[in-house]
Amino acid sequence: MLPIERIDYSPIKDRQKLVLPGGARLAVWVIINVEEWNPQETMPRTVLTPPAGGSPMPDIPNWAWHEYGNRVGFWRMLEVLDRFRVRAALAINGSAIRSYEAISRAALERGWEFMGHGFGQKNMQKVPDERAEIVKTAQVIREFTGRAPRGWLGPGLTETWDTPDILAEEGYDYVCDWVLDDQPVLLKTRTRPIVNIPYTQECNDVAMMLIQHHKANEYRDRAIDQFDQLYADAEQSARIMALVGHPYIMGAPHRLRYFREALEHMHSRPGVVFWTGEQILDWYLGAPGHQGAKASVPGSSSSASSAR
């Protein structure tokens, strides 16, 4: 299906009011992306270009730049999240579950949500068998956590024309590749609807630091500005805000303080809940009188926590 065939246009001002429990107005979810980069393939991203150009292999500088995040940066970010008692969503490559088992174990012990993020860090358009990739990712997450993942984030938000259909058919309940709204929305598939939960391209360290080449403090400034506007918007109807971090980017020593300061600002405001993607999903499906209540998504249950 074309995108316009999967989702109807819906101006946010005309929708029925969404209400979070406990008088909250804004739900923030923090997504930590943990990836495994194959040193035998071209690196997905680079911090240094080789002197003679091209894509040489092995590409040690760029592989090591990423690997630092999983060896060191993740643990810095974890300390910040623990400080604010935030349960994050771990968007993790299936292959990374065992390659970086200490990370997986730390997330599991804290009750983080595990989201499918491809089996390896590769565009979904380039994998040989998309369905097999999606199924294999779910299998390894289920084997490690005891639960199948309910959410999916494509590597680099990449999809084929069939991705939402395959996800729904293989038991996923939500996706977050469609960054087009501040509230959850329903996507049509060949079988049952799948929910899209708001992700972010703006409050995303890849966009800010690696593509737009901002100074590190842009992460904090933009996150706070986005939060403040959504908080104001949510006076009329609940909003969702995503905050995205990659350990090799925001876990770097010169950037970590801005991740911490962004969360500190959000945590200081009343009427804010820090949820995982599946908590947002269950709340949305259970909200009375709107389209989410009509969606038939297996496995949903109420897991909404009260506002601070």
Side-chain angles (χ1 to χ4, degrees):
M1 295 183 207
L2 294 173
I4 57 174
E5 296 174 305
R6 292 198 185 276
I7 184 168
D8 297 326
Y9 171 66
S10 171
I12 198 166
K13 69 180 185 65
D14 294 340
R15 301 175 200 166
Q16 184 165 335
K17 182 176 182 178
L18 288 178
V19 180
L20 289 162
R25 57 200 291 177
L26 182 64
V28 175
W29 71 309
V30 179
I31 304 96
I32 304 299
N33 291 262
V34 170
E35 301 157 352
E36 181 173 23
W37 292 7
N38 186 345
Q40 295 181 296
E41 297 179 355
T42 301
M43 292 294 99
R45 299 186 183 97
T46 59
V47 65
L48 287 178
T49 55
S55 301
M57 273 189 260
D59 186 351
I60 296 301
N62 290 305
W63 180 85
W65 167 58
H66 165 268
E67 191 72 0
Y68 177 90
N70 293 336
R71 295 171 66 92
V72 181
F74 173 83
W75 306 100
R76 289 195 182 105
M77 299 181 78
L78 185 65
E79 287 181 3
V80 172
L81 292 164
D82 283 351
R83 171 181 171 182
F84 294 110
R85 297 180 182 176
V86 171
R87 281 200 307 128
L90 185 72
I92 187 166
N93 293 157
S95 64
I97 293 280
R98 292 298 181 185
S99 296
Y100 304 109
E101 187 168 342
I103 290 176
S104 304
R105 185 67 56 190
L108 185 64
E109 289 170 352
R110 288 162 172 78
W112 286 19
E113 178 185 3
F114 282 63
M115 293 169 52
H117 189 45
F119 191 77
Q121 189 62 13
K122 183 181 295 187
N123 290 4
M124 294 307 293
Q125 300 98 329
K126 294 183 178 180
V127 299
D129 185 331
E130 181 180 19
R131 186 181 296 272
E133 187 91 353
I134 288 170
V135 169
K136 185 164 57 171
T137 302
Q139 286 175 341
V140 296
I141 290 176
R142 185 189 298 109
E143 289 169 3
F144 185 80
T145 67
R147 298 180 59 213
R150 299 178 68 190
W152 176 270
L153 172 69
L157 283 69
T158 56
E159 290 192 0
T160 70
W161 296 115
D162 298 321
T163 303
D165 303 309
I166 298 171
L167 290 171
E169 290 161 7
E170 297 301 335
Y172 287 84
D173 295 335
Y174 77 88
V175 64
C176 37
D177 297 334
W178 295 53
V179 184
L180 44 64
D181 213 296
D182 292 333
Q183 295 177 336
V185 295
L186 291 179
L187 302 179
K188 300 171 187 174
T189 77
R190 294 182 297 232
T191 53
R192 61 181 175 90
I194 191 167
V195 177
N196 183 78
I197 293 179
Y199 188 69
T200 179
Q201 295 167 337
E202 299 288 352
C203 289
N204 187 317
D205 51 358
V206 168
M208 280 184 267
M209 302 296 115
L210 306 189
I211 298 173
Q212 299 164 356
H213 302 294
H214 286 291
K215 289 180 62 177
N217 62 2
E218 173 72 9
Y219 187 89
R220 175 202 59 203
D221 295 347
R222 191 183 299 192
I224 289 174
D225 289 346
Q226 180 132 326
F227 172 88
D228 287 348
Q229 183 59 54
L230 288 172
Y231 190 87
D233 294 343
E235 184 176 1
Q236 304 302 321
S237 184
R239 298 294 196 271
I240 309 299
M241 175 171 171
L243 185 68
V244 177
H246 294 71
Y248 67 98
I249 304 174
M250 292 315 296
H254 66 287
R255 295 194 187 103
L256 184 79
R257 63 171 286 193
Y258 302 112
F259 177 69
R260 181 181 65 247
E261 289 171 5
L263 282 173
E264 189 171 38
H265 176 84
M266 298 173 195
H267 203 268
S268 70
R269 300 297 293 272
V272 179
V273 290
F274 289 84
W275 278 355
T276 61
E278 64 181 351
Q279 285 179 294
I280 296 168
L281 173 75
D282 288 341
W283 158 75
Y284 178 68
L285 294 177
H290 69 94
Q291 61 174 345
K294 302 174 185 177
S296 175
V297 178
S300 63
S301 61
S302 177
S303 60
S305 61
S306 60
R308 288 184 297 101

